[in-house]
Amino acid sequence: MSEHAPPRSRTRRNATDTYLTFALGDESFALPILRVREIIGITDITPVPRMPAHVRGVLNLRGKVIPVIDLRRRMGFEPVPDHKRTCIVIVQTGSGAEAILVGAVVDRVSEVRDIPPSQIEPPPQFGAIADPGCITGVGKGGKHVVMLLDTDRVAGREELPVNLKN
Amino acid sequence: MNRDAIAEAAMLLDPADAKARQRLATLFSEALPALAGTAQAAAREAAQLLSGDPPADLLDRLGRLTDDALAEAPPPPQAADPAAVADFLARASGEPDELAALALAWDGGDAEAKAELRRRLHTFKGDAGVLGLNDLQALMHRAEDLVLTAPGVPLQALLAACTWATAEIRHLTGGPAPGPAPRLDATPPPAQLGELLIASGAVRPESVAAALVEQAAEPSRRLGEVLVDSGAAHPKDVSAALAAQRAGATPHRPAAAPPTLAAPANQLAPATLRVEVERVDALAESVGELGIAQAMLANILGRTDRRTASLLARIDRLLRSAQDASNRLRMVPVRPVFQRAERAARELAARLGKPIAIRLVGAATELDKAVAERLGDPLLHLVRNALDHGVEDAASRAAAGKPAIATLTIAAERHDGRVVVSVADDGRGLDRARILARARERGLALPHEQAPDSAVWELLCQAGFSTAEKVTDISGRGVGLDVVRSAVHGMRGRLEISAQTGAGARFTVILPPTLVAVDGLGLMAGGQRFVIPTSAVRACLRPRPGDLDSVAGRGSVIAHQGRLLPWRPLPDLLGLAPLASKRPLAVVVDDGARRAAIAVDAILGRTQAVLKPLSGLPELPGVVGTAIGADGRVDLVLDPVGLLSTADDSVRKAS
């Protein structure tokens, strides 16, 4: 049986080259699939006081309370009301003891796509993105170009305000 | 001696088979010059060699022979692993007390306690021996010997051994060295005069106790003298008792020891289980989740029919008791934390040359393990402050007419469902005028002239105050008090200070018994639900129009029980969506120092909230964590202290 089974790499070449793509407005973005834990529909989010505008609040993920950021606002787009296709992508940021789950609100989830390093170009130094540093590259090869996001940079601990006491 | 022992062991084996006997002899002779561990292994192997069920007394004897051999074997050439020793000491610190309890139970007529005592002494001795704690091992060995060979119950000797073992363990963990180990002797010590007098009915126990205290002050006087001089005993009775004492009388003891001492061993030392904290946490979490699921279910089904409703109510009760039980699993006595503080206090007192008597009160008070752990540092801080700044040097104490030995009391008690921990000294107290002067110097906001002392003491907890380099100059206690206060706030507790100039000070920390659950009141404000701990809520108000007054530049106030309270809409305090209601309600919240009416849209009733941290988000003033409501939504759990301090800020900003 094992001899005739197709090598696994044919179906999934390399998980590190696989991304979840999603839309913010008209633009396509992607997060590494290895960081994505699950995708849930928009749900009740409890606002938390004294947070920057891109922190929507916290939600209950099966008994765990996790922070939720609005990726539109994080990337500098105008906010829009939630709609039917609004999703929350649950990602893991940080690693080891520092690892936390964070929800990222996106307009629409598109697909899971392989983007090998050969199809990735360095990020552009222009555009309407609020924080160009969180784009690690631009994926080509599909219908649209996809901006690849640095998970820790967009949703990591540093992004959540560290000290609000002052 | 050891050869005889081996021969004796070999003889005992008769009529076991000859090969085993020979092997046993070889093993012993090999083991003798070798190390402790080897001899023990040899004995074990020897025991296994015996076919069938060897008689218990033979095994017993073998064990003791091995121990004799061990006692004569050279000590291990290398020092035992310090980590292993530390681990042993941590486990062993309570053992002498338990051994003493067993000895008392045995004395009370419990035969099982004797067997248990012997077994425990043996294990204790073995552990001590393996780690090279030779004095402890030797003493426990003698104690075990006594248990086996003494004609009666060698209670005094055993208790002496336990007392010394406690002191020795404390010494090994950094305490003072105990005196030489007691010589254990099976014959009971001559009866005490007092004991004989009480037994004969000539003197009341209280009189003897009083006389002993008096005698302790003047060791040159004999107890009989003191008793006669104070008129508590007739000289004739005393001389009769003295004669009886010389004749070797033992006081007539009541047939049965007091019930606590006579309790069976298994009641004295309840069976315990060591469990990792994570497992307990996992249980607490599951029980918490169950509670949420049950509440959701009750929401859906609650109004259907009576049978469902009563079943749901029953599940609710069961869940509550499960929640209680799982919370209790996390409870530990505060004693170790107190003992650490006591040790630190003794060290510091010795260094400062300030003689001190330390009293630990209520060390058995239980609190959540997490709270106990986090209490350690603030408590050390308070103790150090008391010794460094509170307790005067010998000259000042003498000048103030105080006893040369200062008293430091570290106490804990349960009060109103909260744990109250205090550190009190009889030192110089706090000096209002000097604290105010120093605060002015440091540019801190000053309370008004007639402010109560508590408002002045509050200055000590401000960060600016405590960075003063020479706090001792102002008889202040500023060192790290802001750190103490923020640590206490971090545990949802509060710090209270009471003091009088010249007459000592008391620092009180009031803590919730647990950090995982909170008894709360559900609130609705600006379309969002909140939970506030009921411990902070003094009253709920429904103000009529006209009850509110506005004070220029300070927002609104409301009269409540003859006091004007600041009126603070909850969303304003937090910076969230404004109140929806035209006629808001209010909860009167008190954090011990401040009181305010916090306005909300609705009050939803009591709720038992399982606290979840705001993981990934920073600590927020005014919010202590989150809880999951019956509908699965996340509610913010408010922190009254933080909330009121933000209220203060807003007052200051506005003024």
Side-chain angles (χ1 to χ4, degrees):
Chain A
M1 175 182 165
S2 56
E3 274 181 36
H4 300 289
R8 295 181 83 198
S9 58
R10 279 184 66 97
T11 48
R12 172 124 319 161
R13 195 163 290 111
N14 192 341
T16 54
D17 295 342
T18 309
Y19 294 83
L20 174 76
T21 67
F22 53 86
L24 299 176
D26 295 333
E27 307 212 33
S28 265
F29 291 86
L31 284 163
I33 199 79
L34 288 176
R35 294 301 197 97
V36 177
R37 286 288 162 273
E38 64 184 289
I39 301 160
I40 60 174
I42 191 75
T43 178
D44 283 332
I45 298 173
T46 301
V48 174
R50 299 193 187 86
M51 288 287 160
H54 70 262
V55 177
R56 283 273 290 259
V58 289
L59 68 75
N60 166 16
L61 183 71
R62 291 186 302 278
K64 271 206 171 65
V65 177
I66 66 168
V68 182
I69 63 164
D70 188 326
L71 218 46
R72 276 189 80 97
R73 289 197 153 205
R74 176 68 186 86
M75 302 311 294
F77 297 125
E78 280 304 304
V80 293
D82 293 337
H83 50 84
K84 270 200 317 230
R85 302 194 63 181
T86 305
C87 283
I88 303 174
V89 180
I90 311 290
V91 294
Q92 185 203 310
T93 73
S95 57
E98 291 284 290
I100 53 169
L101 294 180
V102 176
V105 179
V106 303
D107 285 346
R108 193 175 66 248
V109 168
S110 317
E111 59 174 340
V112 175
R113 194 172 134 187
D114 281 357
I115 308 175
S118 59
Q119 289 178 19
I120 297 176
E121 292 191 359
Q125 296 301 312
F126 57 86
I129 306 295
D131 180 6
C134 49
I135 297 176
T136 58
V138 177
K140 306 244 159 140
K143 265 186 285 176
H144 308 283
V145 296
V146 180
M147 285 185 257
L148 310 181
L149 294 177
D150 179 338
T151 319
D152 290 342
R153 184 87 185 244
V154 288
R157 231 172 236 281
E158 294 74 34
E159 257 338 284
L160 303 165
V162 176
N163 193 352
L164 295 158
K165 287 191 173 168
N166 304 321
Chain B
M1 150 83 190
N2 281 301
R3 283 194 190 282
D4 295 349
I6 295 158
E8 195 184 340
M11 291 310 290
L12 276 167
L13 280 171
D14 262 339
D17 69 301
K19 251 170 87 186
R21 199 167 48 188
Q22 184 135 33
R23 173 76 182 131
L24 181 67
T26 323
L27 281 168
F28 268 88
S29 48
E30 277 171 8
L32 263 185
L35 303 178
T38 323
Q40 225 158 16
R44 232 175 270 131
E45 197 180 328
Q48 277 166 7
L49 272 172
L50 297 163
S51 50
D53 274 340
D57 60 340
L58 171 58
L59 280 185
D60 221 58
R61 181 76 185 121
L62 266 179
R64 303 213 303 119
L65 285 167
T66 318
D67 295 332
D68 281 341
L70 282 179
E72 289 186 21
Q78 281 174 340
D81 175 16
V85 175
D87 182 53
F88 165 72
L89 291 174
R91 278 183 294 120
S93 60
E95 186 68 9
D97 286 347
E98 291 184 25
L99 292 173
L102 282 168
L104 286 165
W106 177 25
D107 190 45
D110 180 356
E112 269 175 41
K114 177 183 178 183
E116 172 73 5
L117 177 63
R118 214 226 103 203
R119 196 185 60 72
R120 298 269 287 260
L121 279 169
H122 189 82
T123 313
F124 195 44
K125 169 185 71 176
D127 288 351
V130 167
L131 295 169
L133 309 173
N134 297 334
D135 292 350
L136 198 56
Q137 180 202 15
L139 184 69
M140 289 300 122
H141 179 65
R142 285 204 301 279
E144 190 192 352
D145 244 4
L146 271 184
V147 172
L148 288 169
T149 58
V153 181
L155 185 64
Q156 294 311 321
L158 289 173
L159 292 182
C162 292
T163 307
W164 189 83
T166 305
E168 173 73 358
I169 289 169
R170 208 173 285 156
H171 168 54
L172 292 166
T173 49
R183 284 185 52 85
L184 300 188
D185 199 340
T187 52
Q192 300 280 322
L193 179 66
E195 241 180 332
L196 286 168
L197 282 169
I198 294 168
S200 69
V203 181
R204 284 180 318 163
E206 303 90 82
S207 311
V208 173
L212 283 170
V213 172
E214 208 171 312
Q215 190 200 12
E218 301 169 78
S220 62
R221 292 174 73 196
R222 308 294 298 250
L223 181 66
E225 262 179 75
V226 178
L227 279 169
V228 172
D229 288 356
S230 67
H234 198 276
K236 225 170 24 184
D237 290 333
V238 173
S239 42
L242 282 169
Q245 188 183 31
R246 273 192 294 274
T250 52
H252 173 72
R253 292 218 189 157
T260 48
L261 302 186
N266 56 5
Q267 277 179 24
L268 279 168
T272 55
L273 198 59
R274 259 170 220 284
V275 185
E276 290 132 49
V277 177
E278 293 93 72
R279 295 201 204 178
V280 176
D281 286 349
L283 176 67
E285 195 158 315
S286 301
V287 172
E289 296 305 316
L290 258 178
I292 294 161
Q294 193 274 344
M296 286 164 135
L297 191 66
N299 255 7
I300 299 166
L301 297 177
R303 283 173 289 274
T304 47
D305 70 295
R306 270 187 44 205
R307 273 178 53 208
T308 317
S310 85
L311 189 59
L312 281 170
R314 200 171 131 206
I315 295 176
D316 188 54
R317 275 197 307 278
L318 289 171
L319 269 171
R320 267 169 209 277
S321 80
Q323 219 157 42
D324 275 358
S326 81
N327 285 345
R328 269 204 305 277
L329 282 183
R330 310 174 49 91
M331 296 302 210
V332 295
V334 75
R335 181 172 290 109
V337 183
F338 273 19
Q339 286 170 340
R340 204 148 17 102
E342 183 190 6
R343 268 204 303 279
R346 289 202 189 287
E347 268 168 44
L348 185 63
R351 214 165 65 220
L352 296 169
K354 295 177 178 173
I356 185 134
I358 300 174
R359 294 203 315 138
L360 300 187
V361 179
T365 307
E366 290 195 325
L367 72 180
D368 190 294
K369 189 169 164 58
V371 182
E373 276 165 6
R374 289 167 68 177
L375 177 62
D377 285 346
L379 193 67
L380 280 183
H381 246 114
L382 291 177
V383 164
R384 279 195 209 112
N385 269 351
L387 281 171
D388 200 6
H389 307 299
V391 173
E392 313 91 330
D393 55 37
S396 319
R397 283 189 78 86
K402 291 183 181 182
I405 298 176
T407 306
L408 180 73
T409 306
I410 309 174
E413 62 169 335
R414 274 294 184 116
H415 184 72
D416 247 4
R418 316 206 100 208
V419 178
V420 180
V421 177
S422 62
V423 174
D425 63 64
D426 63 349
R428 61 168 70 90
L430 301 175
D431 187 329
R432 181 180 169 116
R434 299 177 86 168
I435 290 169
L436 283 171
R438 170 55 70 140
R440 196 170 297 121
E441 229 171 82
R442 314 287 311 176
L444 298 174
L446 294 177
H448 57 87
E449 284 292 299
Q450 279 83 42
D453 281 347
S454 61
V456 177
W457 308 155
E458 185 73 8
L459 290 169
L460 298 173
C461 298
Q462 292 194 15
F465 195 94
S466 60
T467 52
E469 318 89 76
K470 282 210 81 181
V471 275
T472 325
D473 278 350
I474 53 144
S475 86
R477 302 169 169 264
V479 179
L481 271 184
D482 61 322
V483 180
V484 173
R485 189 171 65 165
S486 62
V488 169
H489 283 182
M491 295 184 273
R492 304 208 321 268
R494 61 173 201 265
L495 176 67
E496 284 178 5
I497 305 173
S498 65
Q500 276 171 320
T501 307
R506 175 189 301 273
F507 290 78
T508 308
V509 174
I510 299 156
L511 295 167
T514 173
L515 297 181
V516 293
V518 57
D519 201 17
L521 193 64
L523 306 173
M524 199 77 189
Q528 193 172 342
R529 209 168 48 199
F530 299 90
V531 175
I532 189 161
T534 38
S535 55
V537 176
R538 292 287 166 271
C540 296
L541 306 179
R542 179 185 289 282
R544 284 181 302 260
D547 281 357
L548 281 171
D549 287 312
S550 71
V551 178
R554 289 206 154 219
S556 302
V557 293
I558 184 168
H560 174 61
Q561 292 174 349
R563 270 175 78 178
L564 283 179
L565 302 179
W567 170 269
R568 304 270 173 249
L570 180 57
D572 295 3
L573 292 176
L574 294 172
L576 290 170
L579 289 182
S581 168
K582 291 254 186 321
R583 284 197 50 198
L585 309 179
V587 285
V588 175
V589 172
D590 189 332
D591 72 350
R594 287 157 297 204
R595 191 174 272 217
I598 294 184
V600 296
D601 286 325
I603 294 171
L604 304 172
R606 287 181 80 144
T607 163
Q608 181 82 32
V610 177
L611 263 189
K612 309 234 170 210
L614 273 167
S615 71
L617 294 179
E619 271 185 33
L620 284 171
V623 178
V624 68
T626 63
I628 295 172
D631 56 1
R633 277 192 73 133
V634 180
D635 300 341
L636 296 181
V637 181
L638 301 171
D639 158 33
V641 177
L643 211 55
L644 294 186
S645 59
T646 53
D648 269 9
D649 290 348
S650 58
V651 170
R652 243 177 249 145
K653 265 175 222 148
S655 55

Coordinates of all heavy atoms in Angstrom, one line a residue, chain B residues 212-256:
Chain B
L212 N 4.6 28.8 86.8 CA 5.6 28.5 85.8 C 6.1 29.8 85.1 O 7.3 29.9 84.8 CB 5.1 27.4 84.8 CG 5.1 26.0 85.4 CD1 4.4 25.1 84.4 CD2 6.5 25.5 85.6
V213 N 5.1 30.6 84.7 CA 5.5 31.9 84.1 C 6.3 32.7 85.0 O 7.4 33.2 84.6 CB 4.2 32.6 83.7 CG1 4.6 34.0 83.2 CG2 3.4 31.9 82.6
E214 N 5.9 32.8 86.3 CA 6.7 33.5 87.2 C 8.1 33.0 87.4 O 9.0 33.7 87.5 CB 5.9 33.5 88.6 CG 6.1 34.7 89.4 CD 5.2 34.7 90.6 OE1 4.0 34.5 90.4 OE2 5.7 34.9 91.7
Q215 N 8.1 31.7 87.5 CA 9.4 31.0 87.7 C 10.4 31.3 86.5 O 11.6 31.4 86.7 CB 9.2 29.5 87.9 CG 10.4 28.8 88.3 CD 10.4 27.3 88.1 OE1 9.5 26.8 87.3 NE2 11.3 26.6 88.7
A216 N 9.8 31.3 85.3 CA 10.6 31.5 84.1 C 11.3 32.9 84.2 O 12.5 33.0 83.7 CB 9.7 31.5 82.9
A217 N 10.7 33.8 84.9 CA 11.3 35.1 85.0 C 12.5 35.1 86.1 O 13.4 35.8 86.0 CB 10.3 36.2 85.4
E218 N 12.3 34.2 87.1 CA 13.3 34.1 88.1 C 13.7 32.6 88.3 O 13.2 31.9 89.1 CB 12.8 34.5 89.5 CG 12.3 36.0 89.5 CD 11.5 36.2 90.8 OE1 12.1 36.4 91.8 OE2 10.3 36.2 90.7
P219 N 14.6 32.1 87.4 CA 14.9 30.7 87.3 C 15.5 30.2 88.6 O 15.5 29.0 88.9 CB 15.9 30.6 86.2 CG 15.9 31.9 85.5 CD 15.4 32.9 86.4
S220 N 16.0 31.1 89.5 CA 16.6 30.6 90.7 C 15.6 30.0 91.7 O 15.9 29.2 92.5 CB 17.5 31.7 91.4 OG 16.6 32.7 91.7
R221 N 14.4 30.5 91.6 CA 13.3 30.0 92.5 C 12.8 28.6 92.1 O 12.6 28.4 90.9 CB 12.2 31.0 92.6 CG 12.7 32.3 93.3 CD 11.6 33.3 93.3 NE 10.5 33.0 94.2 CZ 9.3 33.6 94.1 NH1 9.0 34.4 93.2 NH2 8.3 33.3 95.0
R222 N 12.5 27.8 93.0 CA 11.9 26.5 92.7 C 10.4 26.7 92.5 O 9.8 27.6 93.1 CB 12.1 25.5 93.8 CG 13.6 25.4 94.2 CD 14.4 24.8 93.0 NE 14.0 23.5 92.7 CZ 14.7 22.4 93.0 NH1 15.9 22.5 93.5 NH2 14.3 21.2 92.6
L223 N 9.8 25.8 91.8 CA 8.3 25.9 91.5 C 7.5 25.8 92.8 O 6.6 26.6 93.0 CB 7.9 24.8 90.5 CG 6.4 24.8 90.2 CD1 6.1 26.1 89.4 CD2 6.0 23.6 89.4
G224 N 8.0 24.9 93.7 CA 7.3 24.7 94.9 C 7.2 26.0 95.7 O 6.2 26.4 96.3
E225 N 8.4 26.7 95.8 CA 8.5 28.0 96.5 C 7.5 29.0 95.9 O 6.8 29.6 96.7 CB 9.9 28.6 96.2 CG 11.0 28.3 97.2 CD 12.3 29.0 96.8 OE1 12.4 30.2 96.8 OE2 13.1 28.2 96.3
V226 N 7.5 29.1 94.6 CA 6.6 30.1 94.0 C 5.2 29.8 94.3 O 4.4 30.7 94.7 CB 6.8 30.1 92.4 CG1 5.9 31.1 91.8 CG2 8.2 30.4 92.1
L227 N 4.8 28.5 94.3 CA 3.4 28.2 94.6 C 3.1 28.5 96.0 O 2.0 29.0 96.3 CB 3.2 26.7 94.3 CG 3.0 26.3 92.8 CD1 3.1 24.8 92.7 CD2 1.7 26.8 92.3
V228 N 4.0 28.2 96.9 CA 3.7 28.4 98.3 C 3.6 29.9 98.6 O 2.7 30.4 99.2 CB 4.7 27.7 99.2 CG1 4.6 28.1 100.7 CG2 4.6 26.2 99.1
D229 N 4.6 30.7 98.0 CA 4.7 32.1 98.2 C 3.4 32.8 97.7 O 3.0 33.7 98.3 CB 5.9 32.7 97.5 CG 7.2 32.3 98.2 OD1 7.1 31.6 99.3 OD2 8.3 32.6 97.8
S230 N 2.9 32.3 96.6 CA 1.8 33.0 96.0 C 0.5 32.5 96.7 O -0.6 33.0 96.4 CB 1.7 32.7 94.5 OG 1.4 31.3 94.3
G231 N 0.6 31.6 97.6 CA -0.6 31.1 98.3 C -1.4 30.1 97.5 O -2.5 29.8 98.0
A232 N -0.9 29.7 96.4 CA -1.7 28.8 95.6 C -1.6 27.3 96.1 O -2.5 26.5 95.9 CB -1.1 28.8 94.2
A233 N -0.6 27.0 96.9 CA -0.4 25.7 97.4 C -0.1 25.7 98.9 O 0.6 26.6 99.4 CB 0.6 24.9 96.6
H234 N -0.5 24.7 99.6 CA -0.2 24.5 101.0 C 1.2 23.9 101.1 O 1.5 22.9 100.3 CB -1.2 23.7 101.7 CG -1.2 23.8 103.2 ND1 -0.3 23.1 103.9 CD2 -1.9 24.6 104.0 CE1 -0.4 23.5 105.2 NE2 -1.4 24.4 105.3
P235 N 2.1 24.4 102.0 CA 3.5 23.8 102.0 C 3.4 22.3 102.2 O 4.2 21.6 101.7 CB 4.1 24.5 103.3 CG 3.3 25.8 103.4 CD 1.9 25.5 102.8
K236 N 2.4 21.8 103.0 CA 2.3 20.4 103.3 C 2.1 19.6 102.0 O 2.8 18.6 101.7 CB 1.1 20.1 104.2 CG 1.6 19.1 105.3 CD 0.6 19.0 106.5 CE -0.9 19.3 106.2 NZ -1.8 19.2 107.3
D237 N 1.2 20.1 101.1 CA 1.0 19.4 99.9 C 2.2 19.4 99.0 O 2.5 18.4 98.4 CB -0.1 20.1 99.1 CG -1.5 20.0 99.7 OD1 -1.7 19.0 100.4 OD2 -2.3 20.9 99.6
V238 N 2.9 20.5 99.0 CA 4.2 20.6 98.2 C 5.2 19.6 98.7 O 5.8 18.8 97.9 CB 4.7 22.0 98.2 CG1 6.1 22.0 97.5 CG2 3.8 23.0 97.5
S239 N 5.4 19.5 100.0 CA 6.4 18.5 100.5 C 6.0 17.1 100.2 O 6.8 16.2 99.9 CB 6.8 18.8 101.9 OG 5.7 19.0 102.7
A240 N 4.7 16.8 100.3 CA 4.2 15.5 100.0 C 4.5 15.1 98.6 O 5.0 14.1 98.2 CB 2.7 15.4 100.3
A241 N 4.2 16.1 97.7 CA 4.4 15.9 96.3 C 5.9 15.7 96.0 O 6.3 14.8 95.2 CB 3.9 17.0 95.5
L242 N 6.7 16.5 96.7 CA 8.2 16.3 96.5 C 8.6 14.9 96.9 O 9.5 14.3 96.2 CB 8.9 17.4 97.3 CG 8.9 18.8 96.6 CD1 9.5 19.8 97.6 CD2 9.8 18.8 95.3
A243 N 8.1 14.5 98.0 CA 8.5 13.1 98.4 C 8.0 12.1 97.4 O 8.8 11.2 97.0 CB 7.8 12.8 99.8
A244 N 6.8 12.3 96.9 CA 6.3 11.3 95.8 C 7.2 11.4 94.6 O 7.5 10.3 94.0 CB 4.9 11.7 95.5
Q245 N 7.6 12.6 94.3 CA 8.5 12.7 93.1 C 9.8 12.0 93.2 O 10.2 11.3 92.3 CB 8.8 14.2 92.8 CG 9.4 14.5 91.5 CD 9.8 16.0 91.4 OE1 10.0 16.7 92.4 NE2 9.8 16.5 90.2
R246 N 10.4 12.1 94.4 CA 11.6 11.4 94.7 C 11.4 9.9 94.7 O 12.3 9.1 94.2 CB 12.2 11.8 96.1 CG 13.1 13.1 95.9 CD 13.9 13.3 97.2 NE 13.0 13.7 98.3 CZ 12.6 14.9 98.6 NH1 13.0 15.9 97.8 NH2 11.8 15.2 99.6
A247 N 10.2 9.5 95.1 CA 9.9 8.0 95.1 C 9.6 7.5 93.7 O 9.4 6.3 93.5 CB 8.7 7.8 96.0
G248 N 9.6 8.4 92.7 CA 9.5 7.9 91.4 C 8.0 7.8 91.0 O 7.7 7.0 90.1
A249 N 7.1 8.5 91.6 CA 5.7 8.3 91.3 C 5.5 8.9 89.9 O 6.2 9.9 89.5 CB 4.9 9.1 92.3
T250 N 4.5 8.4 89.2 CA 4.0 9.0 88.0 C 2.6 9.5 88.3 O 1.9 8.9 89.0 CB 3.9 8.0 86.8 OG1 3.2 6.9 87.3 CG2 5.3 7.6 86.4
P251 N 2.3 10.7 87.8 CA 1.0 11.2 88.1 C -0.1 10.3 87.6 O 0.1 9.7 86.5 CB 1.0 12.6 87.5 CG 2.0 12.5 86.4 CD 3.0 11.5 86.9
H252 N -1.2 10.2 88.3 CA -2.2 9.4 87.8 C -2.8 10.1 86.6 O -3.3 11.2 86.6 CB -3.3 9.3 88.9 CG -4.5 8.6 88.4 ND1 -4.5 7.2 88.1 CD2 -5.7 9.0 88.1 CE1 -5.7 6.9 87.7 NE2 -6.5 8.0 87.7
R253 N -2.8 9.4 85.5 CA -3.3 10.0 84.3 C -4.8 9.6 84.0 O -5.2 8.5 84.4 CB -2.5 9.5 83.1 CG -1.1 10.0 83.1 CD -0.7 10.3 81.7 NE 0.7 10.6 81.7 CZ 1.4 10.5 80.7 NH1 0.9 10.1 79.6 NH2 2.7 10.8 80.7
P254 N -5.5 10.4 83.4 CA -6.9 10.0 83.1 C -6.8 8.8 82.2 O -5.9 8.7 81.4 CB -7.5 11.2 82.3 CG -6.4 12.1 82.1 CD -5.3 11.8 83.0
A255 N -7.8 7.9 82.3 CA -7.7 6.6 81.6 C -7.6 6.9 80.1 O -6.9 6.2 79.4 CB -8.9 5.8 81.9
A256 N -8.4 7.8 79.6 CA -8.4 8.0 78.2 C -7.8 9.4 78.0 O -8.1 10.4 78.7 CB -9.8 8.0 77.6

